Amino acid sequence: MRFDSVMAAINAIPPRQSLTYAPSFGIPALRKQWQKELFSKNASLADKRVSLPVVTCGITHGIATFADVWINAGDVIILPEMMWGNYGMIFSVRRDAHIHHYKLFTEDGHFNLPAFEQVVRQEAADHRKLTVLLNFPHNPTGYTISDAEADAIVKILKDVASSGTYVVAVTDDAYFGLFYEPECIQESIFARLCGAHPAILAIKLDGATKENYVWGLRVGFITYGGTFSVDPTDLFDALERKTAGCIRGTISNASHLSQTILLNSMLDEKNSAERQEKFDILMDRAKRVKAVCTDPKYAPAWDVYPFNSGYFMCIRLKTVDAETLRVHLLDRYGVGLIALGPDNLRIAFSCMEAADVEKLFDIIYQGIKELENSQ
Ligand SMILES: Cc1ncc(COP(=O)(O)O)c(C=O)c1O
């Protein structure tokens, strides 16, 4: 049974691929195709085994499902102090977990390995299990670690695993692939965490949202990796079932129509050219932002946090309060930015024409001057 009025909008996709329920695991062909692409996008996965991805309703739901399956009340999750705000909602509010922060950058603008190591070692000393969430490209700063930084992170986690701590290392790869500078690692750190040590369980959360430019279709994935003392076929099967069981008990299954649209697009011969075209536009915007925001004329007003990837960049304000400036820019100029704490402003260059970049930074600067003069 179906309505013509519904089918009129999706007539290229038959009801059995759109209107019927998808399995709680996701449709098999899409899971296989996403897994195939994981291997082609992540060189270090060669010769390693990972589970079949389980389909979620977007990455937020992937994170929430991860939290439901793996996080108990009181557990600690290690995250940088600058982070996507929704982690607080998912881990602290929904699951009653504690987020322990480390400072993301060193003074010279690199990933803060000493701070990361310190919080990891502290948690390893206090608990039998630790959970680390790694998000690169990073929201809100747009930073992606280098190869060397990735290897150093893996080494630290391997070290605490060797000393008897179970490590759950979860990657939020929402902005995967949007790497604009050669120094960025060109794969997910998930690939290097897989098999790093039998006591490390690597979990990859990713999705079509940003990778395939389909924000509203709501298709995400959860994939497990690692080398364990038992046969990985049985283990991955158990992990996939446990995860799909959780999905069955929350949303039942993700949209069949969305999964089919995504699968068809991934199999379309135009797919890689389409992806490249959109990537080029975003990279152009990022490069333009980098050239403009570091102009010495703005130096009295802000510092720029390192960025080389993703959708966003952040500036650290030197003279005015971030929330006051945000409200002022919105009221006076209709410019919408995000204030993070008292000093930081996040700018989403992903949704801005390259030609408007200079105008935007001039407006921010103007707004700062106006607030300074009114103080
Ligand atoms: C770091 C991060 N993770 C996850 C998400 C959510 O992705 P989705 O729209 O697929 O739920 C976002 C952004 O919106 C994000 O910035």
Side-chain angles (χ1 to χ4, degrees):
M1 282 193 273
R2 55 193 171 267
F3 289 172
D4 287 345
S5 54
V6 169
M7 293 316 295
I10 51 170
N11 58 14
I13 302 181
R16 67 176 182 285
Q17 293 174 10
S18 54
L19 301 191
T20 54
Y21 286 129
S24 293
F25 294 84
I27 58 175
L30 177 63
R31 299 177 69 202
K32 284 196 196 103
Q33 187 60 25
W34 196 263
Q35 188 194 50
K36 193 172 155 200
E37 290 201 1
L38 286 185
F39 281 98
S40 63
K41 292 169 183 165
N42 294 279
S44 302
L45 280 185
D47 306 326
K48 294 182 181 171
R49 301 253 326 251
V50 298
S51 76
L52 267 177
V54 175
V55 177
T56 60
C57 184
I59 301 161
T60 307
H61 177 237
I63 303 166
T65 302
F66 159 77
D68 284 352
V69 175
W70 294 99
I71 303 297
N72 296 319
D75 277 3
V76 168
I77 299 166
I78 298 174
L79 273 158
E81 92 289 23
M82 293 172 89
M83 63 168 201
W84 186 43
N86 213 5
Y87 293 143
M89 186 73 88
I90 297 169
F91 293 121
S92 309
V93 178
R94 281 187 76 247
R95 300 296 306 167
D96 238 346
H98 303 296
I99 297 179
H100 282 195
H101 292 297
Y102 59 93
K103 202 162 172 275
L104 181 62
F105 294 119
T106 56
E107 289 305 318
D108 60 350
H110 290 102
F111 181 77
N112 199 334
L113 281 167
F116 176 75
E117 179 160 12
Q118 197 200 350
V119 71
V120 165
R121 291 204 184 277
Q122 184 60 53
E123 288 315 318
D126 295 346
H127 303 281
R128 242 183 112 219
K129 172 187 107 175
L130 69 82
T131 305
V132 179
L133 195 155
L134 299 160
N135 164 229
F136 305 111
H138 180 241
N139 179 0
T141 64
Y143 185 73
T144 286
I145 47 176
S146 65
D147 273 307
E149 287 166 339
D151 287 339
I153 290 171
V154 174
K155 187 168 173 299
I156 291 165
L157 296 178
K158 223 171 132 171
D159 218 47
V160 295
S162 309
S163 314
T165 304
Y166 292 110
V167 177
V168 178
V170 55
T171 63
D172 176 345
D173 293 340
Y175 302 91
F176 181 82
L178 300 174
F179 306 126
Y180 309 129
E181 304 284 351
E183 78 260 13
C184 299
I185 183 178
Q186 296 295 318
E187 64 178 358
S188 169
I189 191 171
F190 167 81
R192 299 184 190 190
L193 288 162
C194 283
H197 189 278
I200 298 181
L201 174 65
I203 306 178
K204 188 176 199 300
L205 309 176
D206 58 13
T209 312
K210 278 100 179 171
E211 285 194 53
N212 298 64
Y213 303 84
V214 288
W215 305 266
L217 288 192
R218 313 306 300 142
V219 183
F221 300 90
I222 301 178
T223 309
Y224 294 99
T227 312
F228 310 100
S229 48
V230 294
D231 179 356
T233 312
D234 294 340
L235 183 75
F236 288 145
D237 184 54
L239 293 174
E240 289 164 32
R241 282 171 191 274
K242 201 169 166 63
T243 306
C246 178
I247 291 169
R248 175 88 182 108
T250 49
I251 60 156
S252 187
N253 54 80
S255 159
H256 199 168
L257 173 62
S258 292
Q259 294 184 56
T260 302
I261 292 173
L262 175 63
L263 175 63
N264 291 350
S265 161
M266 289 171 78
L267 296 174
D268 193 299
E269 60 183 23
K270 292 193 291 296
N271 185 262
S272 69
E274 288 177 329
R275 197 187 290 267
Q276 186 65 44
E277 187 203 338
K278 303 302 175 214
F279 173 85
D280 289 346
I281 293 170
L282 286 177
M283 179 148 98
D284 191 41
R285 291 175 185 174
K287 298 259 170 182
R288 185 75 196 122
V289 166
K290 192 160 264 185
V292 170
C293 71
T294 50
D295 188 317
K297 75 178 173 188
Y298 302 132
W302 63 69
D303 286 328
V304 178
Y305 285 98
F307 72 100
N308 51 21
S309 59
Y311 270 26
F312 312 107
M313 55 86 63
C314 285
I315 56 177
R316 191 171 61 78
L317 304 170
K318 294 181 180 174
T319 56
V320 297
D321 174 68
E323 177 62 12
T324 312
L325 178 63
R326 182 192 74 77
V327 172
H328 180 71
L329 293 172
L330 192 62
D331 285 350
R332 169 103 31 128
Y333 300 101
V335 168
L337 303 173
I338 302 278
L340 300 158
D343 300 326
N344 302 324
L345 213 53
R346 189 193 78 175
I347 292 140
F349 59 76
S350 52
C351 56
M352 187 171 56
E353 297 293 335
D356 294 335
V357 168
E358 189 158 11
K359 195 165 144 205
L360 174 74
F361 282 97
D362 278 344
I363 288 174
I364 298 173
Y365 188 64
Q366 177 69 25
I368 291 171
K369 291 283 136 214
E370 285 158 3
L371 289 182
E372 283 174 357
N373 292 335
S374 70
Q375 275 168 7

